[in-house]
Amino acid sequence: AQSVTQLDSHVSVSEGTPVLLRCNYSSSYSPSLFWYVQHPNKGLQLLLKYTSAATLVKGINGFEAEFKKSETSFHLTKPSAHMSDAAEYFCVVKGDYKLSFGAGTTVTVRA
Amino acid sequence: GAVVSQHPSRVICKSGTSVKIECRSLDFQATTMFWYRQFPKQSLMLMATSNEGSKATYEQGVEKDKFLINHASLTLSTLTVTSAHPEDSSFYICSAQTGGNSGNTIYFGEGSWLTVV
C-alpha cells in the first residue's frame, strides 16, 4: 500500500521569496517520487523525480526536492518564486506500478 | 523530452452519444498508459490502466462498459465514453510510462475537457 500527504492545501508567497511545498509519503516498496505542476486547464508537467539515486533532486524552473527516508518526506523548494509559478502542485509516489497522488497544493504568488 | 499528446483538447457532445479521446506517446513506446479523471479543484482519480495488447484494468467503481479503453499499439490508447451523460462532463487526462534508462518516468497528456449537453 502507498499513500501521499501534501501538508498544505494552499501556499501564498511574495514574488522573489522562497517556496516550500511539503509532502510525506508511505510505501511498501522502494518508491519513486515525483512532483508535477498543473497550470489552469492544463495537463500535468513533470518538475522532477527521485528514483533512488541522489537524494537531492534538481528539476526544471529552479525547483528542487530532497528525499529524506527517515522522515518519509519529499519536500519541494524554490529559492525565489516567480509569478509564473502560480499553479497547482502534486506530489506523486510510485510503488509497484500505480501512482498515488497527493491532494495538491495551490500556490499563489503575490506581486 | 518525452511528450504525450491528447486529442481532442476540448469536446462537446450531446447526451446519449459516444465520444473518443486519443492518447499518444510521441517519442517513446508505452506498454502501459493510464487514464484519469479530474474534478474541479481536486486531484486526479485513476480510472483504468491500459496495457498494450490486453484488456484494461479498471479501478473499483469505474464502469468498464461505459468507459471503453483500447490500447491497440505501443503509442496509442483510446478512451471512449459511451452513451455520455452530463455527469460524465469532466477533465480526462492520460499518462504514459517510459521504461529503460529513463527509470520508468510517467508523462501526462495535456488533458481533454469533455462537456456533455
Side-chain angles (χ1 to χ4, degrees), chain A residues 32-74:
Chain A
S32 295
L33 293 158
F34 307 82
W35 275 100
Y36 289 89
V37 59
Q38 185 180 32
H39 288 92
N41 302 322
K42 297 288 188 181
L44 278 70
Q45 180 185 17
L46 177 67
L47 283 177
L48 48 80
K49 65 177 181 179
Y50 166 78
T51 55
S52 75
T55 56
L56 182 62
V57 182
K58 293 188 182 299
I60 63 171
N61 301 336
F63 285 95
E64 63 181 38
E66 185 172 9
F67 173 72
K68 291 186 177 181
K69 186 175 181 178
S70 61
E71 299 177 8
T72 61
S73 69
F74 190 56

Side-chain angles (χ1 to χ4, degrees), chain A residues 36 38 43 49 94 98 102, chain B residues 38 43 59 102 105-106 110:
Chain A
Y36 289 89
Q38 185 180 32
K49 65 177 181 179
K94 178 174 175 290
K98 286 187 179 181
Chain B
Q38 186 179 32
S43 191
E59 295 300 300
S102 59
T105 297
I106 298 181
E110 284 289 296

